[in-house]
Amino acid sequence: MIHQSFKRALDLLYPRRCPVCDGVVPAFEIRDGHIKRAGLIHRKCLGKIEYVRGATCAKCGKPLSDDEQEYCEDCRRTKHNFDRGYSVFAYRSISGSIYRFKYMGRQEYADFYGLATGKILGRKLKGLGIEAIVPVPMYPAKERKRGYNQAAVYAEAVSAQLHIPVLKGLVRRVRNTAPMKELDARGRRNNLKKAFIIAKNDVKFKCVLIIDDIYTTGSTIDEIAHEFRMAGVKKIYCLTLAIGQTT
């Protein structure tokens, strides 16, 4: 009760922003003649978001094109180290939101992201037997400069919906890699070799969920999944906020 009252007070003092248009979302609104707590997003903006629906790749979770069946072109060419990937939003419809979430301090967007994840994928993810949620770590110097790790912020929001613990220190990033957007698929994989380590000698979990913001080629998640495989983890799933359609 105290926690909820504190959050309501913060909403009044520091109004949250809509994760789509970035406009102020009022703490309360009048509906049917009654004052009610407002949502996390403008109603008019809900229709601008596209969720991942329909036929998706049985490995990475990308929406399939008309001429693809079961697996996307990338997953037919590439052997991934994770078992199955899931994503919530179609990238093009949410790219601006994720940019602000990642680079402009809009950490409050994570509340909406977590809620959407629970509604779209909650039942499926809960049925996988996941024991721990592991956000993709940032290189420490980069995280200090930014002030937060967006994957960890999103992971906490997902944890609140799924009631599965987040283990932020289980994986460490030990190499300051080049920006991934500047590299092709092969360059991404070479760039990430030996970039991560498992921080504990004895990993007792048999099923984990790796969380990141965007799925492109899966190189980052593959490298972490490889470390988990070496540590004896049997089932490795991944979840990202957004994913693009296969090309």
Side-chain angles (χ1 to χ4, degrees):
M1 179 66 74
I2 294 176
H3 176 67
Q4 291 300 321
S5 298
F6 180 69
K7 286 193 72 173
R8 284 195 289 269
L10 282 180
D11 286 346
L12 288 170
L13 290 171
Y14 305 101
R16 65 170 56 246
R17 298 277 179 167
C18 172
V20 174
C21 72
D22 200 44
V24 171
V25 177
F28 299 94
E29 62 183 5
I30 298 177
R31 277 183 281 163
D32 302 324
H34 299 282
I35 298 177
K36 297 184 179 180
R37 185 173 173 78
L40 303 174
I41 182 174
H42 291 145
R43 291 188 182 186
K44 65 181 181 180
C45 290
L46 275 172
K48 299 177 181 179
I49 298 174
E50 294 179 24
Y51 296 94
V52 175
R53 300 186 187 278
T56 59
C57 175
K59 191 67 173 181
C60 73
K62 281 184 182 177
L64 296 174
S65 61
D66 293 338
D67 59 345
E68 292 175 324
Q69 294 182 353
E70 192 172 8
Y71 295 102
C72 70
E73 183 179 347
D74 175 63
C75 290
R76 290 198 299 268
R77 294 194 311 256
T78 306
K79 179 176 173 57
H80 292 293
N81 294 321
F82 57 88
D83 290 285
R84 179 71 161 85
Y86 301 91
S87 242
V88 184
F89 304 108
Y91 175 71
R92 289 181 181 177
S93 72
I94 200 80
S95 59
S97 176
I98 293 177
Y99 181 87
R100 294 190 298 272
F101 173 59
K102 190 171 182 175
Y103 296 112
M104 298 176 65
R106 292 288 193 255
Q107 296 184 57
E108 72 261 36
Y109 288 3
D111 289 339
F112 171 73
Y113 296 156
L115 189 64
T117 301
K119 287 184 177 180
I120 301 298
L121 293 170
R123 182 176 296 180
K124 187 171 293 184
L125 293 173
K126 287 178 181 178
L128 297 176
I130 296 163
E131 300 168 275
I133 294 173
V134 181
V136 171
M138 291 178 68
Y139 190 68
K142 283 186 177 180
E143 184 170 352
R144 285 194 297 271
K145 184 177 180 180
R146 185 173 300 173
Y148 62 97
N149 174 5
Q150 72 280 351
V153 175
Y154 174 45
E156 292 288 356
V158 172
S159 173
Q161 296 294 320
L162 303 184
H163 307 293
I164 300 171
V166 176
L167 297 181
K168 287 185 280 191
L170 186 57
V171 179
R172 286 171 47 205
R173 195 167 197 143
V174 293
R175 281 186 54 232
N176 187 11
T177 53
M180 298 290 276
K181 61 186 178 182
E182 299 174 2
L183 304 171
D184 60 15
R186 179 176 292 181
R188 286 170 184 252
R189 295 187 182 280
N190 291 333
N191 185 45
L192 288 162
K193 287 193 179 299
K194 297 183 179 180
F196 302 97
I197 62 169
I198 304 295
K200 295 183 179 180
N201 293 328
D202 183 20
V203 178
K204 297 180 180 179
F205 300 106
K206 297 302 179 185
C207 183
V208 299
L209 177 69
I210 301 170
I211 281 188
D212 205 359
D213 51 1
I214 302 168
Y215 184 99
T216 307
T217 64
S219 302
T220 301
I221 292 167
D222 271 333
E223 196 63 27
I224 295 174
H226 171 74
E227 295 301 314
F228 275 129
R229 293 286 185 208
M230 297 296 289
V233 178
K234 302 298 183 185
K235 288 290 182 180
I236 303 168
Y237 299 99
C238 63
L239 169 68
T240 55
L241 265 176
I243 196 167
Q245 187 169 20
T246 184
T247 55

